[in-house]
Amino acid sequence: MLKDLASLIVKHTVPSRRHLTPELVLRLVTPECPLWRAKEDEIPFKDPFWAFYWPGGQATARYILDNGELVKGRRVLDIGCGCGAGTIAAVKMGASRVVANDIDPYAIAATSINAILNDVAVETNSNDLIGTKCEEFDTILIGDMFYDEEFANVLFGWLQGVRGEGKTILIGDPGRHGLTEKRRQHIELIAKYNLPPESCIENHGFTETSLWKLK
Ligand SMILES: C[S@@+](CC[C@H](N)C(=O)[O-])C[C@H]1O[C@@H](n2cnc3c(N)ncnc32)[C@H](O)[C@@H]1O
């Protein structure tokens, strides 16, 4: 099963370093790929979020690679790992355990492929962990998951609940509508980056991305 998903991913993506973390090579759908211009009914995947490196994920991985002490020796959970960059960055910077979590099996397969490309081993989990206690982790990464208001409400409420248990919660986000003014009062800006040109084209109007920490 994982092998079938992996061969489809390899067929439709190319290795790319044209993003904020060029030290990581990631298989992505880029302008060179037929899928970039494909019509919806020609795409063999439903919502292939894992095929793109979202601005929020780019900010998260960039910050981790530049500030390894944040994850060194820590137990990290990357919720909604997508292509797996946040996970790979945390493994590279010496986290004691990193789990890449996504409910999309293609994201799990893409993360596994990208981990191999970057010479790291990753642990994956495809359960929906939102709403659970996640006691075995002390750091949670949320890369670009505030794109839907209803989901943002559930996600933010859950993060505030688990934060009470002494966890560090990092949120990468380019300014999506789900990260409302009200929610921003509960997070602290820790870094801001300009997005590379290809990411700006891909993300219609976003030119910057930020990393936030739940207070
Ligand atoms: C916008 S993408 C971001 C991917 C990656 N973090 C990045 O920034 O490049 C959101 C990801 O969250 C995943 N997702 C959505 N709901 C989820 C849930 N309840 N638990 C785990 N992952 C989820 C999607 O499958 C998708 O891969």
Side-chain angles (χ1 to χ4, degrees):
M1 158 86 169
L2 197 64
K3 222 170 154 190
D4 295 344
L5 305 192
S7 59
L8 254 187
I9 291 170
V10 169
K11 180 174 171 198
H12 288 283
T13 59
V14 291
S16 172
R17 292 185 188 270
R18 295 198 305 262
H19 43 69
L20 270 184
T21 56
E23 59 270 69
L24 305 184
V25 58
L26 301 167
R27 286 207 76 99
L28 299 170
V29 168
T30 68
E32 297 85 40
C33 302
L35 220 58
W36 180 272
R37 267 171 286 276
K39 298 193 191 90
E40 216 178 315
D41 59 351
E42 297 165 348
I43 301 175
F45 312 100
K46 189 180 177 296
D47 299 334
F49 288 174
W50 52 268
F52 301 92
Y53 188 8
W54 292 63
Q58 294 195 38
T60 309
R62 182 67 271 154
Y63 192 82
I64 289 172
L65 289 168
D66 291 341
N67 301 273
E69 68 284 356
L70 194 70
V71 295
K72 194 168 178 8
R74 304 213 13 127
R75 300 162 302 163
V76 179
L77 175 63
D78 184 9
I79 295 268
C81 62
C83 67
T87 293
I88 295 166
V91 175
K92 279 197 176 285
M93 299 318 287
S96 60
R97 182 184 177 203
V98 188
V99 174
N101 165 255
D102 204 294
I103 52 170
D104 181 351
Y106 279 103
I108 296 295
T111 295
S112 304
I113 292 170
N114 287 327
I116 293 167
L117 280 178
N118 290 282
D119 283 328
V120 297
V122 295
E123 188 182 334
T124 59
N125 178 309
S126 58
N127 297 326
D128 190 344
L129 299 178
I130 295 170
T132 70
K133 284 193 164 182
C134 292
E135 277 163 335
E136 68 270 41
F137 300 100
D138 39 42
T139 303
I140 297 182
L141 311 181
I142 301 290
D144 226 315
M145 293 189 75
F146 286 91
Y147 50 85
D148 174 86
E149 174 50 32
E150 203 180 314
F151 184 49
N153 198 28
V154 173
L155 179 62
F156 203 80
W158 172 64
L159 290 173
Q160 286 185 299
V162 289
R163 168 73 186 88
E165 289 153 32
K167 294 181 183 31
T168 299
I169 295 172
L170 300 173
I171 299 173
D173 189 277
R176 299 206 187 271
H177 63 274
L179 213 55
T180 55
E181 208 43 61
K182 198 170 158 212
R183 291 189 183 118
R184 280 176 202 222
Q185 289 169 13
H186 300 279
I187 56 178
E188 173 191 348
L189 180 66
I190 55 175
K192 195 173 245 196
Y193 304 96
N194 290 321
L195 281 170
E198 196 165 295
S199 303
C200 293
I201 297 168
E202 206 173 277
N203 287 282
H204 321 291
F206 288 119
T207 56
E208 291 179 341
T209 183
S210 300
L211 188 69
W212 306 80
K213 188 172 164 186
L214 201 69
K215 287 181 191 164

mmCIF file of all heavy atoms in Angstrom, residues 49-50 52-58 78-83 101-104 107 127-130 142-145 147 151, ligand 1:
data_model
loop_
_atom_site.group_PDB
_atom_site.id
_atom_site.type_symbol
_atom_site.label_atom_id
_atom_site.label_comp_id
_atom_site.label_asym_id
_atom_site.label_seq_id
_atom_site.Cartn_x
_atom_site.Cartn_y
_atom_site.Cartn_z
ATOM 1 N N PHE A 49 -2.296 18.283 -0.319
ATOM 2 C CA PHE A 49 -1.620 19.310 0.482
ATOM 3 C C PHE A 49 -0.138 18.972 0.667
ATOM 4 O O PHE A 49 0.713 19.846 0.754
ATOM 5 C CB PHE A 49 -2.282 19.438 1.864
ATOM 6 C CG PHE A 49 -3.649 20.089 1.865
ATOM 7 C CD1 PHE A 49 -4.395 20.153 3.032
ATOM 8 C CD2 PHE A 49 -4.187 20.644 0.715
ATOM 9 C CE1 PHE A 49 -5.648 20.770 3.053
ATOM 10 C CE2 PHE A 49 -5.437 21.253 0.719
ATOM 11 C CZ PHE A 49 -6.159 21.305 1.893
ATOM 12 N N TRP A 50 0.153 17.681 0.778
ATOM 13 C CA TRP A 50 1.517 17.197 0.994
ATOM 14 C C TRP A 50 2.439 17.509 -0.192
ATOM 15 O O TRP A 50 3.656 17.415 -0.058
ATOM 16 C CB TRP A 50 1.482 15.666 1.201
ATOM 17 C CG TRP A 50 0.732 14.994 0.086
ATOM 18 C CD1 TRP A 50 -0.604 14.690 0.080
ATOM 19 C CD2 TRP A 50 1.232 14.640 -1.196
ATOM 20 N NE1 TRP A 50 -0.961 14.154 -1.141
ATOM 21 C CE2 TRP A 50 0.147 14.112 -1.935
ATOM 22 C CE3 TRP A 50 2.487 14.704 -1.807
ATOM 23 C CZ2 TRP A 50 0.279 13.657 -3.247
ATOM 24 C CZ3 TRP A 50 2.618 14.260 -3.123
ATOM 25 C CH2 TRP A 50 1.520 13.739 -3.826
ATOM 26 N N PHE A 52 2.831 20.298 -1.627
ATOM 27 C CA PHE A 52 3.302 21.692 -1.555
ATOM 28 C C PHE A 52 3.908 21.916 -0.175
ATOM 29 O O PHE A 52 3.544 21.247 0.789
ATOM 30 C CB PHE A 52 2.125 22.655 -1.810
ATOM 31 C CG PHE A 52 1.507 22.409 -3.158
ATOM 32 C CD1 PHE A 52 0.436 21.541 -3.299
ATOM 33 C CD2 PHE A 52 2.047 22.990 -4.298
ATOM 34 C CE1 PHE A 52 -0.100 21.258 -4.551
ATOM 35 C CE2 PHE A 52 1.522 22.712 -5.552
ATOM 36 C CZ PHE A 52 0.445 21.848 -5.683
ATOM 37 N N TYR A 53 4.821 22.860 -0.140
ATOM 38 C CA TYR A 53 5.478 23.196 1.137
ATOM 39 C C TYR A 53 4.866 24.532 1.540
ATOM 40 O O TYR A 53 5.211 25.577 0.997
ATOM 41 C CB TYR A 53 6.975 23.294 0.873
ATOM 42 C CG TYR A 53 7.890 23.451 2.061
ATOM 43 C CD1 TYR A 53 7.452 23.351 3.378
ATOM 44 C CD2 TYR A 53 9.246 23.693 1.841
ATOM 45 C CE1 TYR A 53 8.334 23.487 4.432
ATOM 46 C CE2 TYR A 53 10.138 23.824 2.886
ATOM 47 C CZ TYR A 53 9.668 23.726 4.175
ATOM 48 O OH TYR A 53 10.543 23.859 5.219
ATOM 49 N N TRP A 54 3.949 24.456 2.466
ATOM 50 C CA TRP A 54 3.123 25.618 2.797
ATOM 51 C C TRP A 54 3.945 26.664 3.560
ATOM 52 O O TRP A 54 4.873 26.311 4.305
ATOM 53 C CB TRP A 54 1.929 25.147 3.621
ATOM 54 C CG TRP A 54 0.982 24.310 2.799
ATOM 55 C CD1 TRP A 54 1.266 23.099 2.218
ATOM 56 C CD2 TRP A 54 -0.354 24.619 2.439
ATOM 57 N NE1 TRP A 54 0.167 22.645 1.524
ATOM 58 C CE2 TRP A 54 -0.844 23.543 1.639
ATOM 59 C CE3 TRP A 54 -1.210 25.688 2.707
ATOM 60 C CZ2 TRP A 54 -2.141 23.529 1.129
ATOM 61 C CZ3 TRP A 54 -2.505 25.657 2.199
ATOM 62 C CH2 TRP A 54 -2.947 24.607 1.414
ATOM 63 N N PRO A 55 3.596 27.944 3.388
ATOM 64 C CA PRO A 55 4.374 29.009 4.056
ATOM 65 C C PRO A 55 4.527 28.791 5.554
ATOM 66 O O PRO A 55 5.602 29.027 6.118
ATOM 67 C CB PRO A 55 3.565 30.272 3.760
ATOM 68 C CG PRO A 55 2.827 29.970 2.499
ATOM 69 C CD PRO A 55 2.530 28.487 2.535
ATOM 70 N N GLY A 56 3.466 28.329 6.209
ATOM 71 C CA GLY A 56 3.547 28.112 7.661
ATOM 72 C C GLY A 56 4.557 27.026 8.005
ATOM 73 O O GLY A 56 5.310 27.142 8.977
ATOM 74 N N GLY A 57 4.585 25.980 7.205
ATOM 75 C CA GLY A 57 5.554 24.905 7.419
ATOM 76 C C GLY A 57 6.971 25.393 7.145
ATOM 77 O O GLY A 57 7.922 25.005 7.838
ATOM 78 N N GLN A 58 7.110 26.267 6.146
ATOM 79 C CA GLN A 58 8.441 26.803 5.819
ATOM 80 C C GLN A 58 8.990 27.626 6.995
ATOM 81 O O GLN A 58 10.168 27.518 7.348
ATOM 82 C CB GLN A 58 8.379 27.654 4.554
ATOM 83 C CG GLN A 58 8.032 26.836 3.308
ATOM 84 C CD GLN A 58 8.310 27.579 2.014
ATOM 85 O OE1 GLN A 58 9.288 28.295 1.880
ATOM 86 N NE2 GLN A 58 7.446 27.391 1.019
ATOM 87 N N ASP A 78 4.702 16.619 15.142
ATOM 88 C CA ASP A 78 4.413 17.510 14.004
ATOM 89 C C ASP A 78 3.020 17.153 13.487
ATOM 90 O O ASP A 78 2.840 16.202 12.730
ATOM 91 C CB ASP A 78 5.485 17.278 12.920
ATOM 92 C CG ASP A 78 5.357 18.224 11.727
ATOM 93 O OD1 ASP A 78 4.550 19.178 11.805
ATOM 94 O OD2 ASP A 78 6.063 17.993 10.726
ATOM 95 N N ILE A 79 2.030 17.941 13.931
ATOM 96 C CA ILE A 79 0.636 17.671 13.539
ATOM 97 C C ILE A 79 0.399 18.242 12.133
ATOM 98 O O ILE A 79 0.720 19.395 11.859
ATOM 99 C CB ILE A 79 -0.337 18.369 14.526
ATOM 100 C CG1 ILE A 79 -0.216 17.769 15.928
ATOM 101 C CG2 ILE A 79 -1.771 18.340 14.020
ATOM 102 C CD1 ILE A 79 -1.134 16.630 16.263
ATOM 103 N N GLY A 80 -0.179 17.435 11.239
ATOM 104 C CA GLY A 80 -0.426 17.886 9.860
ATOM 105 C C GLY A 80 0.895 18.075 9.135
ATOM 106 O O GLY A 80 1.149 19.110 8.547
ATOM 107 N N CYS A 81 1.716 17.025 9.175
ATOM 108 C CA CYS A 81 3.115 17.142 8.698
ATOM 109 C C CYS A 81 3.226 17.432 7.205
ATOM 110 O O CYS A 81 4.247 17.954 6.759
ATOM 111 C CB CYS A 81 3.906 15.894 9.072
ATOM 112 S SG CYS A 81 3.248 14.376 8.320
ATOM 113 N N GLY A 82 2.220 17.090 6.396
ATOM 114 C CA GLY A 82 2.282 17.364 4.959
ATOM 115 C C GLY A 82 3.492 16.698 4.318
ATOM 116 O O GLY A 82 3.655 15.478 4.379
ATOM 117 N N CYS A 83 4.379 17.509 3.741
ATOM 118 C CA CYS A 83 5.579 16.953 3.084
ATOM 119 C C CYS A 83 6.638 16.526 4.094
ATOM 120 O O CYS A 83 7.637 15.902 3.725
ATOM 121 C CB CYS A 83 6.156 17.963 2.097
ATOM 122 S SG CYS A 83 6.824 19.451 2.895
ATOM 123 N N ASN A 101 2.785 13.381 12.069
ATOM 124 C CA ASN A 101 1.381 12.965 12.109
ATOM 125 C C ASN A 101 0.579 13.645 11.004
ATOM 126 O O ASN A 101 0.703 14.852 10.800
ATOM 127 C CB ASN A 101 0.788 13.336 13.488
ATOM 128 C CG ASN A 101 -0.726 13.289 13.506
ATOM 129 O OD1 ASN A 101 -1.382 14.326 13.505
ATOM 130 N ND2 ASN A 101 -1.295 12.119 13.507
ATOM 131 N N ASP A 102 -0.215 12.867 10.302
ATOM 132 C CA ASP A 102 -1.127 13.445 9.304
ATOM 133 C C ASP A 102 -2.222 12.411 9.039
ATOM 134 O O ASP A 102 -1.940 11.211 9.005
ATOM 135 C CB ASP A 102 -0.382 13.771 7.994
ATOM 136 C CG ASP A 102 -1.091 14.852 7.187
ATOM 137 O OD1 ASP A 102 -2.225 14.589 6.697
ATOM 138 O OD2 ASP A 102 -0.543 15.963 7.059
ATOM 139 N N ILE A 103 -3.453 12.896 8.854
ATOM 140 C CA ILE A 103 -4.552 11.959 8.596
ATOM 141 C C ILE A 103 -4.592 11.523 7.132
ATOM 142 O O ILE A 103 -5.350 10.644 6.779
ATOM 143 C CB ILE A 103 -5.916 12.546 9.024
ATOM 144 C CG1 ILE A 103 -6.135 13.934 8.404
ATOM 145 C CG2 ILE A 103 -6.026 12.602 10.554
ATOM 146 C CD1 ILE A 103 -7.559 14.464 8.597
ATOM 147 N N ASP A 104 -3.781 12.154 6.274
ATOM 148 C CA ASP A 104 -3.738 11.784 4.858
ATOM 149 C C ASP A 104 -2.596 10.778 4.644
ATOM 150 O O ASP A 104 -1.423 11.109 4.837
ATOM 151 C CB ASP A 104 -3.509 13.052 4.023
ATOM 152 C CG ASP A 104 -3.479 12.760 2.529
ATOM 153 O OD1 ASP A 104 -3.462 11.568 2.143
ATOM 154 O OD2 ASP A 104 -3.451 13.730 1.744
ATOM 155 N N ALA A 107 0.354 11.988 2.760
ATOM 156 C CA ALA A 107 1.295 12.855 3.495
ATOM 157 C C ALA A 107 2.288 11.995 4.273
ATOM 158 O O ALA A 107 3.480 12.313 4.337
ATOM 159 C CB ALA A 107 0.523 13.780 4.440
ATOM 160 N N ASN A 127 -3.143 8.708 12.865
ATOM 161 C CA ASN A 127 -4.391 8.890 13.629
ATOM 162 C C ASN A 127 -4.720 10.371 13.768
ATOM 163 O O ASN A 127 -3.825 11.210 13.709
ATOM 164 C CB ASN A 127 -4.248 8.297 15.034
ATOM 165 C CG ASN A 127 -4.015 6.800 14.972
ATOM 166 O OD1 ASN A 127 -4.536 6.128 14.093
ATOM 167 N ND2 ASN A 127 -3.212 6.299 15.883
ATOM 168 N N ASP A 128 -6.006 10.664 14.003
ATOM 169 C CA ASP A 128 -6.379 12.044 14.303
ATOM 170 C C ASP A 128 -6.092 12.283 15.789
ATOM 171 O O ASP A 128 -6.817 11.805 16.654
ATOM 172 C CB ASP A 128 -7.864 12.270 13.991
ATOM 173 C CG ASP A 128 -8.222 13.749 14.062
ATOM 174 O OD1 ASP A 128 -7.422 14.526 14.636
ATOM 175 O OD2 ASP A 128 -9.282 14.128 13.555
ATOM 176 N N LEU A 129 -5.035 13.012 16.083
ATOM 177 C CA LEU A 129 -4.604 13.211 17.478
ATOM 178 C C LEU A 129 -5.181 14.486 18.084
ATOM 179 O O LEU A 129 -4.981 14.760 19.269
ATOM 180 C CB LEU A 129 -3.069 13.249 17.548
ATOM 181 C CG LEU A 129 -2.359 11.973 17.069
ATOM 182 C CD1 LEU A 129 -0.841 12.142 17.142
ATOM 183 C CD2 LEU A 129 -2.796 10.765 17.895
ATOM 184 N N ILE A 130 -5.882 15.265 17.246
ATOM 185 C CA ILE A 130 -6.448 16.511 17.769
ATOM 186 C C ILE A 130 -7.587 16.152 18.720
ATOM 187 O O ILE A 130 -8.504 15.421 18.348
ATOM 188 C CB ILE A 130 -6.895 17.431 16.609
ATOM 189 C CG1 ILE A 130 -5.652 17.845 15.833
ATOM 190 C CG2 ILE A 130 -7.673 18.651 17.123
ATOM 191 C CD1 ILE A 130 -5.903 18.538 14.541
ATOM 192 N N ILE A 142 2.733 23.109 14.489
ATOM 193 C CA ILE A 142 1.518 23.277 13.696
ATOM 194 C C ILE A 142 1.913 24.133 12.479
ATOM 195 O O ILE A 142 2.083 25.353 12.596
ATOM 196 C CB ILE A 142 0.403 23.999 14.503
ATOM 197 C CG1 ILE A 142 0.039 23.222 15.780
ATOM 198 C CG2 ILE A 142 -0.835 24.260 13.634
ATOM 199 C CD1 ILE A 142 -0.698 21.911 15.568
ATOM 200 N N GLY A 143 2.096 23.496 11.348
ATOM 201 C CA GLY A 143 2.502 24.227 10.133
ATOM 202 C C GLY A 143 1.309 24.488 9.230
ATOM 203 O O GLY A 143 0.769 23.566 8.619
ATOM 204 N N ASP A 144 0.871 25.749 9.193
ATOM 205 C CA ASP A 144 -0.171 26.178 8.251
ATOM 206 C C ASP A 144 -1.467 25.379 8.341
ATOM 207 O O ASP A 144 -1.921 24.789 7.360
ATOM 208 C CB ASP A 144 0.375 26.112 6.812
ATOM 209 C CG ASP A 144 0.033 27.381 6.048
ATOM 210 O OD1 ASP A 144 -1.131 27.825 6.138
ATOM 211 O OD2 ASP A 144 0.915 27.941 5.387
ATOM 212 N N MET A 145 -2.073 25.397 9.501
ATOM 213 C CA MET A 145 -3.329 24.647 9.654
ATOM 214 C C MET A 145 -4.507 25.553 10.001
ATOM 215 O O MET A 145 -5.567 25.084 10.413
ATOM 216 C CB MET A 145 -3.151 23.554 10.687
ATOM 217 C CG MET A 145 -2.173 22.505 10.185
ATOM 218 S SD MET A 145 -2.088 21.065 11.219
ATOM 219 C CE MET A 145 -3.589 20.203 10.824
ATOM 220 N N TYR A 147 -6.334 27.417 7.920
ATOM 221 C CA TYR A 147 -6.926 27.791 6.625
ATOM 222 C C TYR A 147 -8.445 27.651 6.617
ATOM 223 O O TYR A 147 -9.097 28.037 5.650
ATOM 224 C CB TYR A 147 -6.305 26.936 5.503
ATOM 225 C CG TYR A 147 -6.306 25.444 5.799
ATOM 226 C CD1 TYR A 147 -7.413 24.649 5.529
ATOM 227 C CD2 TYR A 147 -5.195 24.836 6.391
ATOM 228 C CE1 TYR A 147 -7.417 23.294 5.829
ATOM 229 C CE2 TYR A 147 -5.190 23.479 6.694
ATOM 230 C CZ TYR A 147 -6.304 22.717 6.407
ATOM 231 O OH TYR A 147 -6.298 21.384 6.714
ATOM 232 N N PHE A 151 -12.278 24.433 11.508
ATOM 233 C CA PHE A 151 -11.157 23.604 11.967
ATOM 234 C C PHE A 151 -10.255 24.411 12.900
ATOM 235 O O PHE A 151 -9.774 23.906 13.922
ATOM 236 C CB PHE A 151 -10.396 23.081 10.742
ATOM 237 C CG PHE A 151 -9.280 22.126 11.079
ATOM 238 C CD1 PHE A 151 -9.488 21.061 11.937
ATOM 239 C CD2 PHE A 151 -8.012 22.302 10.538
ATOM 240 C CE1 PHE A 151 -8.460 20.175 12.251
ATOM 241 C CE2 PHE A 151 -6.978 21.431 10.841
ATOM 242 C CZ PHE A 151 -7.206 20.360 11.704
HETATM 243 C C1 LIG B 1 -2.003 23.094 4.736
HETATM 244 S S1 LIG B 1 -1.287 21.527 4.970
HETATM 245 C C2 LIG B 1 0.224 21.935 5.807
HETATM 246 C C3 LIG B 1 1.257 20.855 5.662
HETATM 247 C C4 LIG B 1 2.604 21.157 6.330
HETATM 248 N N1 LIG B 1 2.469 21.308 7.764
HETATM 249 C C5 LIG B 1 3.230 22.390 5.733
HETATM 250 O O1 LIG B 1 3.151 23.460 6.370
HETATM 251 O O2 LIG B 1 3.771 22.324 4.620
HETATM 252 C C6 LIG B 1 -2.292 20.890 6.285
HETATM 253 C C7 LIG B 1 -2.050 19.408 6.578
HETATM 254 O O3 LIG B 1 -2.835 19.046 7.714
HETATM 255 C C8 LIG B 1 -3.362 17.741 7.497
HETATM 256 N N2 LIG B 1 -4.497 17.578 8.399
HETATM 257 C C9 LIG B 1 -5.755 18.075 8.297
HETATM 258 N N3 LIG B 1 -6.491 17.714 9.358
HETATM 259 C C10 LIG B 1 -5.673 16.995 10.177
HETATM 260 C C11 LIG B 1 -5.843 16.354 11.450
HETATM 261 N N4 LIG B 1 -6.989 16.372 12.102
HETATM 262 N N5 LIG B 1 -4.774 15.712 11.984
HETATM 263 C C12 LIG B 1 -3.586 15.667 11.337
HETATM 264 N N6 LIG B 1 -3.370 16.256 10.125
HETATM 265 C C13 LIG B 1 -4.401 16.894 9.568
HETATM 266 C C14 LIG B 1 -3.660 17.701 6.017
HETATM 267 O O4 LIG B 1 -3.769 16.380 5.546
HETATM 268 C C15 LIG B 1 -2.464 18.464 5.459
HETATM 269 O O5 LIG B 1 -1.398 17.598 5.149
#
